[in-house]
Amino acid sequence: MKAVRIILLILHVGIFLLLSGMLMNAYVPPKVFPWVNLLSLGFPVLIITYVLLTIFWIICWKKRAFIFIFLGLLFFNPVLRWINFSGKSSSEIEDADLKIISLNAKNATFGLKNIEAYIDRQQADIVLLQEYGYGTDYHFNGLKEGEKNAGVAFFTRHKIISQKKIIEGSYEHNNAYVTQTDIEIKGKIYRIINMYLQPFQFEKSMIQLDGNIDKREEKLKNIVKRLIPTFKMHQEQIIPIRESIETSPYPVILAGDFNAVPNSYEYYQLADGLQDAFVKAGNGSSTSFHEYKFPIRIDYVFCSESIQPLSYKVDRSVRLSDHYPVITTFKLDN
């Protein structure tokens, strides 16, 4: 039994070091050391294992349990980016000034009419679509179409002041697409950034590991070969987005499919100076991508400090694409 405990202690310390390494994503760019960013992908498994081992030490009445509990506080905020219970009351939500829906529509392969019907029922003020479907013509009741390109589309009930394409990718190569739209709400201007960062272009068959050791090793190598270059591309793509945020004379709402998980380099860079609406007002799990049997959050809504998130909902009641719609409401500082 003593040998087992030694092995578990070594494992626990190792997991702590990996989780600590993940926190370095706030400082280490992928072009300098991309391997740190890989740790963010395994965060759910690492933190669950860390918690289970801590519980084991508590059951065994070992003093080291208190050490691991104390050290585990370092990962409190990273956990909140995945699972949170800070939702507002219904009365507070009723005071919302703005309702936004963000959805990766997967080129409307689940049905354009299904998406239109769903959006119309929600009566949102702003709709942000990613992978909306090149050449696809959406019609939403009461919403006018704003800036779009091959990757993202913008719809709103409010007056559009100006529009700009921040990143114009190539649809054939699935590059990043980002637009910025300044709109007027109750006499005040807000900047809405709709973004879709470079995808990893994975298929289910590429990540499903079978029993063959050689094939499994080859698949893992191929996964890493796709991840590392994409991390580096994200680093470049973040630069013009940060410029749009930092030079904006107006409060900013940044939303869309980041193709990056919480606690990644992308997350830390894009969230800098902004609020994560899920952390402020979310309930339950933030997982938004359901194609794989693994908790993956890659859809986000961030906002300036002057904007108050009231609710954040990942609507799992519908399947309009391989992403669930994200619905957020806000109280504006007017």
Side-chain angles (χ1 to χ4, degrees), residues 80-125:
L80 291 183
R81 294 164 191 154
W82 285 94
I83 301 175
N84 189 26
F85 295 96
S86 60
K88 304 293 190 300
S89 66
S90 58
S91 60
E92 290 177 294
I93 296 173
E94 288 175 1
D95 293 334
D97 297 315
L98 184 66
K99 183 177 184 179
I100 295 178
I101 296 178
S102 178
L103 171 67
N104 181 314
K106 195 176 172 60
N107 302 308
T109 53
F110 284 55
L112 183 147
K113 295 299 181 184
N114 293 334
I115 295 174
E116 289 180 332
Y118 175 81
I119 297 297
D120 287 341
R121 289 196 302 272
Q122 298 301 319
Q123 297 184 321
D125 299 293

Side-chain angles (χ1 to χ4, degrees), residues 244-264:
S244 176
I245 296 170
E246 292 166 6
T247 60
S248 174
Y250 319 115
V252 172
I253 294 177
L254 171 68
D257 179 357
F258 291 18
N259 278 307
V261 298
N263 311 308
S264 61

Side-chain angles (χ1 to χ4, degrees), residues 8 11-12 15-16 19 42-57:
L8 291 178
L11 176 63
H12 207 168
I15 290 174
F16 170 76
L19 288 169
F43 176 75
V45 174
L46 291 173
I47 196 65
I48 289 172
T49 306
Y50 185 93
V51 170
L52 291 175
L53 287 171
T54 302
I55 293 172
F56 173 78
W57 299 127

Side-chain angles (χ1 to χ4, degrees), residues 284-333:
S285 169
S286 62
T287 297
S288 56
F289 182 72
H290 59 78
E291 185 72 5
Y292 309 138
K293 294 180 180 179
F294 189 83
I296 300 177
R297 179 194 183 194
I298 55 178
D299 301 282
Y300 302 83
V301 181
F302 295 159
C303 64
S304 296
E305 293 290 338
S306 62
I307 301 173
Q308 180 186 357
L310 294 182
S311 68
Y312 184 105
K313 177 183 178 182
V314 180
D315 192 351
R316 298 183 178 85
S317 68
V318 293
R319 292 212 172 192
L320 304 173
S321 77
D322 52 0
H323 292 242
Y324 292 118
V326 172
I327 306 173
T328 317
T329 61
F330 301 92
K331 183 71 176 176
L332 302 178
D333 183 20

